[in-house]
Amino acid sequence: MKISKALDTFFLYCVVIIILITAYFAEKVSSENRVDSTVEDEISLTGARLSDELYGSVRKTGEWRRFGSTSSQFEFVIKNLGSEAITNWRLYLEVPEDTTIDSSWNIELSKDSRNNLLLFTPQNANITIKPGDNLEFGAVVRSKKTIDPSVLHIIGYKAAGRNNIIKNLILFMILVWLVAFVGYLVTRFNLRNYRERQKNDVRIILQSMNTFISFIDAKDPYTRGHSRRVAMYAAEIAKRMELSEDEVQNIYYGGLLHDAGKISIPDAVLNKPGKLTDEERKTIQSHTVAGGKMLKQLSSIKGIREIALYHHERYDGKGYPEGLKGDKIPIYARIVGVADSYDAMSSNRVYRRHLNKDEIIEEIQQGSGTQFDPDIVKYMVDMINDGYVNVVKMETAENEDGTNDIHIHEEDLPGVYMGF
Ligand SMILES: [Fe+2]
């Protein structure tokens, strides 16, 4: 996953978490601010304190029997003793189930589903009882039994407190959002700078390598483009072997510089068209050790020294410079070795013309298990058969005037730097 995408996903998660936390606290604070109280058996002519804020009294001011039922008249007083207004309140008075409503004043009266009496304020349930205010209302209700008020229940909210809380919550949310947003912008900005720096670093590496490769190519014109082609073949093999992006990239760099040691070989030996003497062969072979020494200092690119040093080792142990065998040869060097040999077979050399596709496949397969790691040969043969090698050749072709402008571009990089 790209870093920017991961950052966006992280930001989204943060937003969801902030919303959930805000909702939790909103509910908690809101319920804390609720006035919700019940008084039983304390309701009398003198009334009772319903909560810290509310005082309520209910009085039976009349009672008469008519047609087998008893009508009762009640008068209520609700007083706000607190310092904040109470709003959105409802008041219940428990009465027998068969109670019916005859009339009411200063209040809208109805029965709720539980057959309690549900008393609303005349206008609507949102009427506010200001601090110090009294609210008086009354009702005449009828039942077969005598009705005595026994349970008075009121639910309401501290209006001013709630408003403050909502205001504070909104401010808090805005603050959190601002902090999150600024943090997000700063991170994005830093990330962009970081990418720019990283791109620049890559540019410097590539330009240095371009310069160095031009030295190598100047030594051996017959191998123009060889380093870049080997790098691309080797990186593709590594990709198909599902090595990590970092490893693919290291192999790419190693492919570019695998013949760095050729700089130390005299031109007369390197470009000699005829048969080489044993001495001359040894001199040419010494480019591996020389390359290994040169690249030892490039320790930031893992395995690059081993690639230069061991890319001419053979799987059967008959290669040079150390005669390492099988898995003892570092995997990077085995990969570059196969890529290097393929390019040698498919390019013209001072001593012969290139082989055709079938000849190359035959030769590579003959070398499987002796010269080459058989596992790596499979990928190389696949790349020949599916035409990948031709794409590389087209991309690295020489100009018509014979010049060879080998440019290594960022888009050639197989690794993590791509896609930003
Ligand atoms: Fe080489």
Side-chain angles (χ1 to χ4, degrees):
M1 188 187 281
K2 286 176 192 167
I3 296 174
S4 56
K5 205 172 171 188
L7 190 71
D8 289 343
T9 310
F10 175 71
F11 185 68
L12 197 69
Y13 279 127
C14 287
V15 168
V16 171
I17 288 167
I18 289 169
I19 289 171
L20 289 176
I21 291 173
T22 310
Y24 170 76
F25 280 110
E27 165 58 25
K28 192 171 157 51
V29 172
S30 163
S31 59
E32 271 174 8
N33 221 43
R34 205 166 79 163
V35 178
D36 184 356
S37 42
T38 303
V39 175
E40 293 182 42
D41 300 329
E42 288 180 24
I43 300 161
S44 66
L45 288 173
T46 53
R49 193 141 181 144
L50 299 176
S51 69
D52 287 346
E53 295 86 359
L54 289 174
Y55 174 89
S57 72
V58 55
R59 256 175 349 126
K60 193 191 270 184
T61 51
E63 185 180 270
W64 55 95
R65 286 192 66 80
R66 223 170 21 177
F67 309 117
S69 61
T70 304
S71 289
S72 305
Q73 178 175 300
F74 297 107
E75 286 180 17
F76 301 83
V77 177
I78 301 294
K79 184 166 185 167
N80 184 356
L81 302 173
S83 57
E84 292 168 313
I86 306 295
T87 191
N88 200 21
W89 61 276
R90 287 167 293 160
L91 186 138
Y92 300 90
L93 181 68
E94 285 194 10
V95 291
E97 282 185 13
D98 69 329
T99 303
T100 55
I101 303 158
D102 276 355
S103 63
S104 66
W105 61 97
N106 285 345
I107 194 89
E108 279 179 2
L109 199 58
S110 60
K111 286 187 80 177
D112 74 350
S113 57
R114 294 175 299 171
N115 277 327
N116 296 335
L117 278 186
L118 182 62
L119 308 182
F120 285 104
T121 55
Q123 291 82 4
N124 55 56
N126 288 322
I127 193 166
T128 299
I129 311 172
K130 291 178 185 158
D133 273 8
N134 280 343
L135 195 68
E136 294 177 13
F137 48 90
V140 176
V141 291
R142 191 156 24 105
S143 170
K144 280 183 182 159
K145 298 174 199 162
T146 300
I147 302 172
D148 284 312
S150 58
V151 177
L152 191 62
H153 185 70
I154 189 165
I155 298 173
Y157 294 95
K158 292 179 205 171
R162 195 173 73 134
N163 286 344
N164 278 344
I165 284 155
I166 288 172
K167 203 167 74 187
N168 289 340
L169 265 177
I170 291 169
L171 282 175
F172 171 75
M173 275 179 73
I174 290 172
L175 193 71
V176 169
W177 272 96
L178 270 177
V179 169
F181 188 63
V182 169
Y184 176 73
L185 286 183
V186 168
T187 314
R188 293 285 312 223
F189 179 74
N190 285 342
L191 191 65
R192 206 169 57 193
N193 280 352
Y194 167 73
R195 283 177 194 155
E196 278 305 313
R197 281 203 303 276
Q198 198 181 33
K199 268 188 175 177
N200 202 40
D201 289 348
V202 172
R203 233 172 266 137
I204 292 168
I205 294 173
L206 291 178
Q207 284 167 357
S208 310
M209 286 195 177
N210 264 328
T211 309
F212 198 67
I213 291 164
S214 66
F215 292 158
I216 304 169
D217 281 350
K219 290 282 293 183
D220 187 357
Y222 274 89
T223 59
R224 271 185 193 149
H226 171 70
S227 304
R228 191 175 174 213
R229 286 194 300 271
V230 170
M232 290 175 79
Y233 297 143
E236 180 65 18
I237 293 172
K239 248 192 235 174
R240 294 185 185 208
M241 289 173 79
E242 296 180 352
L243 299 190
S244 73
E245 286 187 346
D246 282 348
E247 287 182 302
V248 171
Q249 188 155 306
N250 290 339
I251 288 170
Y252 180 81
Y253 288 139
L256 288 176
L257 296 184
H258 73 284
D259 271 345
K262 279 192 177 169
I263 286 195
S264 65
I265 312 296
D267 292 356
V269 179
L270 202 60
N271 298 315
K272 186 179 171 184
K275 207 168 181 291
L276 297 174
T277 64
D278 283 352
E279 194 61 33
E280 287 165 341
R281 184 169 291 106
K282 274 184 189 163
T283 305
I284 286 189
Q285 289 180 352
S286 73
H287 80 277
T288 51
V289 177
K293 275 183 193 159
M294 281 179 200
L295 299 181
K296 197 176 173 183
Q297 301 191 45
L298 205 53
S299 56
S300 55
I301 303 175
K302 263 192 182 168
I304 196 163
R305 183 189 78 92
E306 284 76 12
I307 289 174
L309 183 58
Y310 297 123
H311 72 275
H312 284 294
E313 295 289 2
R314 288 172 51 111
Y315 200 67
D316 58 9
K318 293 178 183 167
Y320 64 89
E322 294 179 17
L324 296 183
K325 196 174 178 181
D327 294 348
K328 293 271 185 277
I329 308 165
I331 177 91
Y332 289 9
R334 273 181 273 154
I335 291 172
V336 172
V338 172
D340 186 28
S341 297
Y342 168 77
D343 193 64
M345 292 176 208
S346 61
S347 312
N348 292 326
R349 284 288 192 265
V350 64
Y351 43 88
R352 60 147 177 76
R353 283 198 62 76
H354 68 83
L355 307 178
N356 67 33
K357 180 183 162 186
D358 292 338
E359 288 168 335
I360 292 172
I361 292 176
E362 198 185 327
E363 195 161 327
I364 289 181
Q365 278 173 339
Q366 269 177 11
S368 179
T370 52
Q371 186 175 353
F372 308 120
D373 180 337
D375 288 337
I376 297 169
V377 162
K378 280 186 294 191
Y379 296 103
M380 190 71 239
V381 171
D382 282 349
M383 281 158 54
I384 299 168
N385 283 327
D386 65 25
Y388 178 83
V389 291
N390 299 327
V391 176
V392 173
K393 280 174 207 161
M394 268 163 52
E395 283 183 7
T396 54
E398 288 185 349
N399 297 331
E400 277 181 11
D401 61 3
T403 57
N404 183 359
D405 48 358
I406 303 166
H407 292 299
I408 303 160
H409 303 289
E410 280 162 38
E411 58 266 27
D412 289 338
L413 286 175
V416 291
Y417 298 117
M418 287 180 71
F420 276 172

